[in-house]
Structure formats: structure tokens, C-alpha cells
Amino acid sequence: MHDHAAKGVPFEHSGHPVGHPGGAAKGGVPQLRLIAWEVTRSCNLACKHCRAEAHPEPYEGELSTAEAKALIDTFPEAGSPIIIFTGGEPLMRHDLFELIPYAKSKGLRCVLAPNGTLLTAENAARIKAAGIERCSISIDAPDAAGHDAFRGVTGAFEASMRGIEHLKSVGLEFQINTTVTKDNLHQFKDIFHLAEKLGASAWHIFLLVPTGRAAELGAQIISAEEYEEVLNWFYDFRKTTNMQLKATCAPHYHRILRQRAKAEGVPVNFETFGLDAVSRGCLGGVGFCFISHSGIVQPCGYLDLVCGDVRQTSFPEIWRTSPQFLNLRNPKVYVGKCGVCEYEKVCGGCRARAQTMRGDYLEAEPLCSHTPIKLQQK
């Protein structure tokens, strides 16, 4: 799978306010809230949007069990991050059920991002017993035809539906992740109703980042105008359900939320908007990072920017001192409108889209139609 959704922030962070640069710790270094750890790049699916162009065979250079445990040992030094065990397909990692309890023993909250097709009654029970608190399952259409076409494997939809039932049978919380494309935009309400019917705790939508296989999906990327429309629709839609809704890889939802709330006279606080009120749009390098199967640290899975190698430098040192992370925490070095935008602290723009569509991760978010006050003609 190497799930698009799993490369962003598929799970809620710990709920602490994240301003800019992200809830400072000692010496002004932001607290790390989330780590998406690609424990393996191997996968049994061939998704059209896969950033890694993953295949089922093992990849060279994967961290060994000893290296993986040594890495886990260092996580608490960077904060109290939630660890997202992702992939590829994390269930294809041979020692997964050794690593999860080890991370739990360090006081870390652990969640899992499988594609759902390999879930069985047996491993669902093992996932629960290992200490996983939530799983994310990606569903990109309300039916098998659309989902299987996107996932590249016939039967993927039905297999994921069975997987979800296995999670439910052991009482394990799950969320549905959906990648937004032109093909499924018109089916969003149907996908939402499916997630609600299945009993998902949350539904997270992800805006496509054109990297890996997704680079070939240029025609599937919605326009800035459609982006604005879907996020406004999402703002309204969240009022219709008790299920938690979150827009991910969609940082300007945080701008839209504040614009709409101001117009409606609604205060933006935790009571009215939950974690969206105290979080930031793009957390890459600010409160979140991605670690590859071989130990390469990146701001997120879509931003192919080597910020360090845990085999050469300790992970906490990379988090504290990486020049790229320091840039991401300093809007003064941003190029274009994002750096001067009045919503920079709550949005930040998608740095991965800036890199893949403009060639510079510090450039302006390509799919934002907002003109900052400082740049508006008087």
C-alpha cells in the first residue's frame, strides 16, 4: 500500500496546543507529537498514489530488530510522540509484534496503519494485545469497483471490509482515511456514510500530494478552487455527525475554519472545534516527522528531503538540529506568500506540494487561492 494517508498525519496528535513553532520544549525546540515510522516498505497492493512505488518483495537496508529497538529507545528524548507503525504494509514486517510492545514499554502511544487486506481474526487479536490503540484503514470509494481500481488489486475493497470486521470483533478502534481525487470527489458523501455505517471513530480526508506513483496522477489533483470548495463543504459537514472529521495534507483548512468561524461569530477553541483549534495545518518538521524503513528522517513521507540518517546521527539530535527542520520552523525563510500570510502559524502550507509542484519546499503552497493581507493591493 505505502498508503498516502499513512504518510501524512492519519491519527490525532496528543492534544497539546501546537502553535508556532509547535509547542516549544527546552531551548526552543518544538515537542515532537507524532512519528510516522515506515517499519517496512514492502506491500501487497499497488496503489496508484503510492509515494514509494512499493512492491511485495523485501527491500534492502531495512532496519534490523536491534536497530529498530535502539531507535525506539531514543524517541522519548524528543518528546512524548505517538508512534504510527506504517509502511508499505506494516503487517509484512516480521518482528512487528516484538516492536510494538517494546515501544509501549517506553511509555509511547502506538497506532497502526495497515491497508486492511491482511487483517485476520488472529492478527487483529494480536494487534489489540500488543497495545495498538487505533488502526487506520484507507477506503477511497464507496464500492469495490472504484476502490479496487485505485488500489490496483481486485478484491482489495472486500478484503478491507473483512479486515474492519476483524478489528471490530476484538474491540479495536479504527478510522477511515480517504484520498481526495477528481474521480472520487463526487462520492464523498457516500464514503462518509460508509465510514459512519461501519462504526469508524473518525474519517480523515487527505489531499493528494503528487509524488511517487502519484506523480503520474496530475490530472487527478483537484484545483485550488475545488480545494477551497471541498474544505468549506467539510467545515459544514462536520456539523452533521458525532464522528470525528479531520482534513489532512490540507493545511489551509485551518485558515478556512477560522474565516468561517469568525463570520459565524463562533469562538475557535477546543470546546467548539476540538484538536483542529489547537493544532497546525502542516506539522512536518514542526510537530511531526517520518522515518523510512532504512532510517532516513524526513519532514513527512511525501517530502523527499533527507534531514538525517539514524544510523549515523541520533534521532533526537536530528530533530533538534536538522537545517531543514530549522527552516520549516522559521517562516522568515519561506519564499512567496506563505511566509507573510496572516494564517502562517495555523496553516503553513503543504511543504511537500511546494516541493513537488514548485521545486522548492519553502515556496508557496501551490493549491491555495488565498491572498495574504500584506500582499493585497490597497
Side-chain angles (χ1 to χ4, degrees), residues 213-245:
R213 281 198 196 107
E216 300 170 12
L217 293 181
Q220 286 296 325
I221 299 171
I222 63 175
S223 67
E225 292 71 31
E226 288 171 317
Y227 204 151
E228 200 81 0
E229 187 180 335
V230 75
L231 293 179
N232 271 284
W233 169 79
F234 201 67
Y235 175 89
D236 289 324
F237 205 55
R238 65 175 178 78
K239 302 172 187 176
T240 70
T241 180
N242 291 324
M243 189 167 62
Q244 177 209 48
L245 304 186

Side-chain angles (χ1 to χ4, degrees), residues 269-342:
N269 54 38
F270 189 82
E271 285 66 38
T272 53
F273 291 100
L275 289 167
D276 279 336
V278 296
S279 182
R280 184 174 187 264
C282 182
L283 288 170
V286 178
F288 168 80
C289 73
F290 171 85
I291 304 175
S292 80
H293 67 294
S294 59
I296 300 300
V297 181
Q298 301 175 197
C300 77
Y302 307 123
L303 183 44
D304 193 10
L305 195 67
V306 177
C307 301
D309 182 342
V310 301
R311 282 176 163 143
Q312 298 175 6
T313 309
S314 77
F315 173 72
E317 185 178 341
I318 294 170
W319 179 251
R320 288 193 302 267
T321 66
S322 157
Q324 296 92 338
F325 286 171
L326 295 178
N327 281 342
L328 290 166
R329 298 163 192 168
N330 179 16
K332 292 179 180 177
V333 302
Y334 284 20
V335 180
K337 68 181 184 179
C338 286
V340 299
C341 183
E342 62 273 22

Side-chain angles (χ1 to χ4, degrees), residues 6-86:
K7 300 295 132 327
V9 186
F11 301 90
E12 289 297 345
H13 63 75
S14 52
H16 303 295
V18 179
H20 202 291
K26 294 178 182 177
V29 179
Q31 285 276 358
L32 182 58
R33 307 296 183 194
L34 274 166
I35 299 172
W37 182 14
E38 175 193 68
V39 290
T40 182
R41 187 163 282 195
S42 300
C43 188
N44 62 313
L45 297 185
C47 304
K48 287 183 178 179
H49 62 321
C50 178
R51 63 158 286 279
E53 303 181 60
H55 53 66
E57 297 77 26
Y59 283 76
E60 289 185 18
E62 206 169 85
L63 295 177
S64 68
T65 302
E67 288 174 319
K69 286 184 174 180
L71 176 60
I72 291 169
D73 288 339
T74 69
F75 288 160
E77 296 173 39
S80 300
I82 297 170
I83 311 303
I84 305 167
F85 287 84
T86 183

